[in-house]
């Protein structure tokens, strides 16, 4: 137990160091292009927080609640996508298919919202169900191809992304588009299919609770159910898992299908919560963002919301920075890339440790070895 | 436009020229992807490397006269291409270093590079031009085109060999087709190529006969980065003469699919890349016929998945057949004994 805790705190330190390092590098890069890099970075790092202003009469006023809302909205999307990737990573599989699953999830939610009339609660439930189901199917396909035919899941998920996006755009422009609108998009969804807002003045809807339920559900699945155990065993050692009687093929296919459900729900959150309609592009390149969240959380569902809130904070801060300075929001992608590179670099810690020990005197090494022993 | 005119335009020399031009930025990264895949270090950063090379090629090509005045005009596009390729190689080196030295997952490292490229190019472009969409404010040069002499006057042949307007193909298009032959020679007729395939097949076995696995994988990754970078240069200094945000538009991933569709060999990959190029060209033609372009765009990825399935079904059948043969052989030998 003690060892596990030590390992945990080492991991935690490592992630914190990587984040600080990435933010510092980001600042250096910002300083190279910006006329006022300090101001730009202040916007990035404090922008999403609501601000309390107190006037002369002592009355206080809360401002920037919509920015705060943007942060939470984005974090909900990122939580669902992060959970989706975490399941696949836990099974030691790879999936780049979240974009397609999310797109079809949004499509399913949109079709139910627009064409299947139902009373309030049932309408939302049905739309969410269909969104999750579409995501499940789009995750199960590459999963089954990988499991039973050994077809490379990277290529298949990338191809399924293209197919899903084209299918979405085809159905949208051909059948769902509002002909009176001046752009490619559907009518707004009926009231009964729009997720109710829980924080007034923002677009933070009951998707917040969906995300929380999803966290608990994935945690429960992974640590309290036979399937979760099988997924973890498969990820730890496939041969051993098979030797222990686990049907590895079934587990691979199911883990990718389950991950699709969560990405599909993220699509429902985008369409039924944020956009309230279907538009030609939903949220470009959001599909890969779940990967950095899952990596920061070390694929542990408990930490996914923490990682999502952190990364969502950066993404929202970047948008605010873009509006109020001369630095574009793509800055945050550079930071993201640095984070992914350094977290995946497994051998960095032993390398740094070795270098550190090498610099110390032999006595110091002996002392520390004795202290450990 | 009627169906007949579209059909006529598809079965024409000019359409073949369009396919050749549209395939170039797929063939080059596909050859790169093939080399890296055969070496067991699949490079999914082809997309980001292309994008970065395309960007730096344009920037240096356009701003070169400002930064280094006095050189002959023809030098600047080459200078741009050189810097573009170098930028692509640096990104590839980052992947190789993180994967081979620091134990990073090769797919995650490459994914980080793709993210870095898509963000970094926009970031620098905005800092340089104040524009987030394209470098249209910069006057960027194209790489030269080559016109094959004498064939221009021959009706169909002229159009096939020199493009529909007889203005010749970009020099990188020639490089693309040449690269297929060179990659084939490299993989199957050189020592290093044999080592490379051995490493991809079984790194432990390769190491046991004295092959330096790490060195081979470094080389394979750098070659893939070089070829992908050339593809990017073609996009921004040939196919178009400017840089647009995310102008690769998934070609790096399509190139990867071409490797698998092409059964992981140079000729098959070339054919797959041509099919993808043709689908792209067809999309533009059929758009005029009111056939939804999305359905055409869907064909190559569907074909790729189908090819993956067929390939693996056949492989499994083959393996089962081999196992059965082996068993029968053992049994018959057993009877003799």
């Amino acid at each position: 137990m003690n060892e596990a805790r030590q390992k945990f705190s080492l991991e935690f330190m490592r992630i914190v160091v990587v984040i600080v390092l990435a933010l510092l590098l980001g600042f250096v890069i910002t300083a190279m292009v910006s006329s006022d890099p300090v101001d730009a970075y202040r916007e990035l790092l404090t922008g999403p927080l609501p601000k309390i202003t107190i006037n002369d009469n002592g009355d206080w006023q809360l401002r920037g609640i919509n920015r705060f809302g943007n942060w939470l909205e984005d974090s909900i999307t990122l939580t669902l996508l992060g959970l989706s990737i975490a399941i696949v990573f836990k099974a030691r599989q790879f999936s780049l298919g979240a974009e397609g699953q999310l797109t079809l999830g949004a499509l399913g939610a949109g079709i139910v919202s627009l064409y299947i009339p139902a009373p309030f609660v049932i309408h939302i439930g049905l739309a969410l169900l269909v969104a999750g189901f579409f995501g499940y199917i789009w995750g199960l396909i590459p999963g089954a191809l990988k499991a039973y035919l050994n077809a490379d899941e990277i290529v298949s998920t990338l191809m399924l992304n293209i197919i899903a996006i084209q299918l979405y755009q085809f159905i949208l422009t051909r059948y769902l588009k509002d002909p009176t609108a001046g752009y490619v998009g559907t009518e707004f969804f009926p009231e009964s299919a729009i997720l109710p807002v829980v924080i007034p003045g923002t677009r933070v809807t009951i998707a917040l609770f969906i995300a929380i339920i999803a966290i608990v559900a994935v945690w429960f699945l992974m640590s309290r159910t036979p399937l979760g155990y099988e997924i973890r065993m498969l990820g730890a050692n496939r041969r051993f898992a098979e030797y222990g009687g686990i049907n590895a093929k079934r587990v691979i296919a199911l883990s990718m299908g389950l991950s699709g459900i969560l990405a599909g729900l993220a699509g429902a959150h985008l369409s039924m919560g944020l956009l309230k309609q279907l538009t030609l592009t939903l949220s470009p390149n959001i599909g890969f963002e779940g990967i950095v969240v899952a990596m920061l959380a070390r694929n542990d569902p408990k930490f996914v919301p923490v990682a999502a809130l952190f990364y969502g904070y950066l993404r929202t801060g970047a948008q605010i920075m873009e509006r109020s300075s001369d630095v574009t929001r793509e800055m945050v992608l550079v930071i993201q890339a640095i984070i992914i590179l350094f977290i995946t670099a497994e051998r960095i810690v032993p390398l740094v440790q070795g270098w550190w020990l090498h610099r110390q005197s032999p006595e110091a090494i002996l002392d520390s070895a004795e202290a450990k022993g | 436009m009627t169906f007949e005119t579209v059909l006529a335009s598809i079965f024409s020399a000019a359409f073949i020229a369009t396919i050749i031009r549209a395939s170039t930025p797929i063939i080059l990264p596909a050859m790169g992807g093939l080399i890296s895949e055969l070496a067991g270090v699949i490079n999914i950063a082809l997309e980001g490397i292309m994008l970065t090379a395309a960007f730096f090629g344009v920037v240096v090509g356009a701003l070169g006269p400002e930064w280094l005045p006095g050189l002959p005009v023809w030098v600047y596009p080459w200078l741009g291409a050189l810097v573009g390729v170098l930028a692509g190689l640096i990104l590839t080196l980052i992947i190789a270093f993180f994967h081979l030295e620091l134990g990073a997952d090769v797919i995650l490292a490459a994914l980080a590079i793709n993210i870095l490229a898509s963000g970094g190019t926009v970031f620098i472009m905005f800092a340089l031009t104040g524009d987030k969409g394209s470098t249209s404010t910069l006057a960027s040069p194209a790489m030269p085109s080559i016109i094959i002499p004498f064939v221009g006057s021959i009706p169909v042949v002229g159009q096939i060999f020199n493009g529909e307007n007889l203005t010749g193909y970009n020099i990188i298009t020639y490089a693309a087709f040449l690269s297929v032959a060179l990659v084939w020679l490299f993989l199957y007729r050189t020592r290093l190529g044999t080592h490379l395939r051995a490493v991809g097949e079984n790194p432990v076995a390769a190491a046991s006969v004295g092959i330096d696995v790490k060195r081979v994988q470094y080389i394979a990754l750098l070659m893939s980065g070089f070829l992908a970078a050339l593809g990017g240069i073609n996009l921004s200094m040939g196919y178009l003469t400017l840089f647009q945000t995310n102008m690769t538009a998934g070609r790096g991933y399509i190139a990867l699919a071409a490797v698998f569709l092409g059964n992981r060999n140079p000729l098959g990959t070339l054919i797959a890349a041509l099919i993808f190029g043709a689908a792209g060209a067809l999309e533009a033609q059929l758009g005029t016929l009111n056939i939804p372009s999305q359905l055409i765009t869907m064909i190559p990825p569907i074909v790729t998945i189908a090819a993956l399935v067929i390939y693996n079904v056949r492989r499994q059948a083959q393996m089962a057949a081999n196992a059965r043969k082996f068993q029968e052989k053992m049994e018959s030998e057993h009877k003799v004994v």
Side-chain angles (χ1 to χ4, degrees):
Chain A
M1 192 64 211
N2 200 14
E3 201 176 310
R5 276 186 74 155
Q6 204 177 7
K7 202 178 157 202
F8 174 78
S9 60
L10 187 75
E11 274 299 311
F12 184 74
M13 278 305 294
R14 196 167 98 96
I15 287 171
V16 170
V17 168
V18 167
I19 289 171
V20 171
L21 193 83
L23 288 174
L24 280 177
L25 271 171
F27 181 73
V28 172
I29 297 167
T30 307
M32 286 196 275
V33 302
S34 176
S35 57
D36 191 351
V38 177
D39 192 53
Y41 234 60
R42 207 191 56 234
E43 292 291 344
L44 173 72
L45 294 180
T46 66
L49 293 176
K51 288 164 188 64
I52 297 172
T53 47
I54 300 170
N55 62 19
D56 299 335
N57 305 330
D59 297 332
W60 60 275
Q61 199 185 0
L62 196 64
R63 291 193 313 124
I65 188 76
N66 56 333
R67 293 174 168 190
F68 178 71
N70 288 342
W71 171 28
L72 281 189
E73 290 153 18
D74 203 32
S75 302
I76 292 169
T77 319
L78 293 172
T79 299
L80 291 169
L81 291 174
L83 288 171
S84 160
I85 300 291
I87 295 177
V88 186
F89 277 5
K90 260 283 188 239
R92 217 172 246 283
Q93 303 300 308
F94 226 104
S95 171
L96 301 174
E99 183 108 33
Q101 293 149 8
L102 176 145
T103 305
L104 289 188
L107 180 69
I111 291 173
V112 172
S113 300
L114 289 166
Y115 293 99
I116 299 179
F120 177 57
V121 178
I122 299 170
H123 206 176
I124 289 175
L126 195 63
L128 289 175
L129 203 69
V130 171
F133 179 70
F134 277 25
Y136 176 73
I137 295 294
W138 221 243
L140 194 65
I141 294 172
L145 289 179
K146 169 72 193 284
Y148 296 100
L149 294 173
N150 203 24
D152 190 280
E153 77 267 39
I154 295 164
V155 175
S156 67
T157 49
L158 286 170
M159 295 300 108
L160 285 166
N161 283 349
I162 302 178
I163 296 171
I165 289 165
Q166 297 300 325
L167 190 68
Y168 172 82
Q169 295 191 346
F170 172 68
I171 292 177
L172 181 62
T173 48
R174 261 277 143 142
Y175 303 106
L176 305 182
K177 191 181 124 184
D178 176 10
T180 59
Y183 56 93
V184 179
T186 64
E187 294 168 36
F188 284 102
F189 295 167
E191 205 63 45
S192 60
I194 292 176
L195 300 176
V197 171
V198 293
I199 301 181
T202 70
R203 294 183 299 174
V204 178
T205 63
I206 57 162
L208 182 66
F209 303 125
I210 297 173
I212 293 170
I213 294 168
I215 296 160
V216 177
V218 173
W219 170 82
F220 186 80
L221 167 81
M222 295 305 281
S223 50
R224 292 286 182 275
T225 65
L227 180 61
Y229 172 76
E230 290 177 350
I231 289 176
R232 283 184 289 129
M233 286 305 289
L234 176 76
N237 188 332
R238 178 169 178 169
R239 275 192 200 166
F240 186 72
E242 282 179 330
Y243 187 72
I246 289 173
N247 182 348
K249 292 179 176 176
R250 178 178 153 270
V251 177
I252 291 174
L254 271 182
S255 68
M256 291 182 72
L258 289 175
S259 115
I261 295 179
L262 293 153
L265 288 177
H269 162 58
L270 286 183
S271 62
M272 296 162 65
L274 304 187
L275 299 167
K276 300 173 183 72
Q277 63 174 150
L278 296 180
T279 52
L280 196 57
T281 49
L282 288 166
S283 182
N285 296 328
I286 188 84
F288 292 162
E289 306 287 50
I291 291 172
V292 73
V293 173
M295 286 177 74
L296 282 172
R298 280 286 165 192
N299 307 329
D300 188 333
K302 285 197 297 292
F303 299 118
V304 164
V306 183
L309 281 169
F310 162 74
Y311 193 62
Y313 187 88
L314 270 192
R315 274 168 52 97
T316 311
Q319 283 179 24
I320 295 162
M321 173 178 75
E322 179 174 80
R323 283 202 293 271
S324 53
S325 79
D326 56 353
V327 183
T328 63
R329 75 176 115 176
E330 277 73 14
M331 173 71 226
V332 76
L333 291 179
V334 178
I335 294 176
Q336 184 191 358
I338 297 169
I339 292 177
I340 294 180
L341 266 181
F342 280 90
I343 290 189
T344 175
E346 308 241 316
R347 283 208 287 270
I348 275 193
V349 173
L351 266 177
V352 172
Q353 274 176 339
W355 171 80
W356 180 248
L357 286 176
H358 195 72
R359 280 194 39 173
Q360 289 186 333
S361 61
E363 294 85 48
I365 297 173
L366 275 179
D367 285 351
S368 71
E370 267 170 30
K372 256 187 198 160
Chain B
M1 213 188 279
T2 64
F3 185 69
E4 283 75 23
T5 42
V6 171
L7 213 60
S9 75
I10 288 172
F11 291 101
S12 68
F15 190 65
I16 292 176
T18 316
I19 293 177
I20 289 175
R21 218 172 290 117
S23 304
T24 303
I26 301 173
I27 295 171
L28 281 163
M31 287 302 135
L34 174 68
I35 292 177
S36 69
E37 163 65 17
L38 286 181
V41 276
I42 189 167
N43 184 359
I44 69 157
L46 300 169
E47 177 87 357
I49 293 164
M50 280 176 87
L51 196 64
T52 307
F55 175 69
F56 281 100
V58 162
V59 167
V60 174
L63 299 179
E66 218 171 283
W67 295 338
L68 290 168
L71 297 174
V73 180
W74 64 266
V75 172
Y76 295 112
W78 288 94
L79 199 64
L82 183 70
V83 174
V85 167
L86 280 179
L89 284 176
I90 289 171
L91 288 190
T92 319
L93 203 57
I94 294 176
I95 301 171
F97 180 78
F98 270 78
H99 174 54
L100 298 172
E101 308 290 346
L102 301 180
D105 185 285
V106 72
I107 293 162
L108 287 174
L111 195 74
I113 292 301
N114 282 341
I115 292 165
L116 182 70
S118 74
T121 49
V122 175
F123 181 75
I124 302 174
M125 177 162 70
F126 185 76
L128 283 177
T129 67
D131 191 340
K132 276 181 76 172
S134 75
T135 59
S136 54
T137 51
L138 299 176
S140 61
M143 294 295 282
S145 293
I146 295 177
I147 299 176
I148 296 178
F150 311 122
V151 299
S153 52
I154 311 169
V156 175
V157 179
Q159 284 197 321
I160 292 176
F161 280 96
N162 279 335
E164 60 267 49
N165 302 321
L166 302 180
T167 47
Y169 293 111
N170 193 278
I171 191 162
I172 309 240
T173 297
Y174 285 94
F177 284 90
L178 190 64
S179 79
V180 179
L182 291 179
V183 166
W184 186 85
L185 279 175
F186 167 70
L187 286 174
Y188 301 105
R189 289 290 179 273
T190 67
R191 216 176 131 82
L192 184 59
T194 312
H195 286 181
L196 187 147
R197 287 182 293 126
V199 166
E201 203 65 52
N202 189 336
V204 179
S208 73
V209 294
I211 297 174
D212 187 344
V213 173
K214 200 193 260 187
R215 179 174 154 269
V216 168
Q217 292 187 329
Y218 260 112
I219 293 171
L221 277 172
L222 285 173
M223 286 173 100
S224 78
F226 173 76
L227 289 165
L230 277 188
I233 297 290
N234 175 260
L235 268 185
S236 68
M237 304 180 78
Y239 199 69
L240 298 175
T241 48
L242 82 166
F243 177 83
Q244 289 170 332
T245 299
N246 193 24
M247 77 184 303
T248 43
R251 284 185 180 83
Y253 297 129
I254 290 285
L256 216 55
V259 174
F260 286 86
L261 180 58
N263 211 3
R264 297 164 88 230
N265 70 63
L267 189 64
T269 304
L270 169 70
I271 293 168
L274 285 170
I275 291 172
F276 287 146
L282 202 64
E283 210 181 294
Q285 293 284 330
L286 292 184
T288 55
L289 252 190
N290 202 20
I291 292 178
S293 67
Q294 294 100 347
L295 294 185
I296 311 293
T297 317
M298 260 190 255
I299 294 172
I302 291 174
V303 171
T304 304
I305 291 180
L308 269 180
V309 170
I310 293 166
Y311 171 75
N312 286 297
V313 166
R314 272 179 47 194
R315 225 175 74 128
Q316 280 184 349
Q318 207 172 19
M319 273 161 65
N322 285 348
R324 205 166 43 240
K325 247 183 249 166
F326 181 73
Q327 201 178 6
E328 277 164 13
K329 197 177 146 203
M330 292 304 280
E331 276 167 6
S332 64
E333 275 172 18
H334 203 72
K335 270 176 205 157
V336 174
V337 174

